[in-house]
Amino acid sequence: MSTRVPLSEDFVNGDVSFWYRSLGLPEAGVPLGGDRDADVAIVGAGYTGLWTAYYLKKARPELRVVVLEKEFAGYGASGRNGGWLVGELAGTPERYARTHGVEAAR
């Protein structure tokens, strides 16, 4: 059974993301207007950056946390599945067999 999502004729692998393909790209935000003081500055509004900001504020609400993003949230690897959920073996089947046994490699 295939779980693949049907792709449209105009689909290009590497576009921003599956989600933005159906929603459309967000409008650009207002550029940062000057200096900001922060206890923590996070560069990148992907999964890692946003979750880091969330949990920092949850643990210590008094922290001044700033998330900086050049494009928009989910633009980079987070929007494209940057390898966090890869269904492939790490390395070659031969290496996997050496580590986990021939039966596991099959």
Side-chain angles (χ1 to χ4, degrees):
M1 178 173 159
S2 175
T3 57
R4 288 190 52 175
V5 176
L7 303 177
S8 64
E9 293 296 322
D10 61 344
F11 174 77
V12 176
N13 190 22
D15 274 349
V16 173
S17 75
F18 170 81
W19 311 112
Y20 286 128
R21 184 167 31 124
S22 60
L23 298 173
L25 296 178
E27 292 185 26
V30 179
L32 185 63
D35 295 341
R36 293 288 186 272
D37 289 326
D39 298 309
V40 179
I42 298 170
V43 179
Y47 290 137
T48 303
L50 293 176
W51 279 114
T52 300
Y54 172 82
Y55 281 108
L56 282 170
K57 290 296 283 184
K58 188 173 179 177
R60 295 195 37 209
E62 73 279 4
L63 281 178
R64 295 171 300 155
V65 178
V66 174
V67 179
L68 302 171
E69 173 58 56
K70 181 182 175 197
E71 300 294 337
F72 50 83
Y75 172 80
S78 292
R80 293 180 185 85
N81 182 9
W84 291 95
L85 301 171
V86 175
E88 299 175 348
L89 293 176
T92 65
E94 294 79 20
R95 179 178 172 205
Y96 193 81
R98 283 193 309 269
T99 307
H100 300 286
V102 176
E103 283 301 312
R106 283 190 192 136

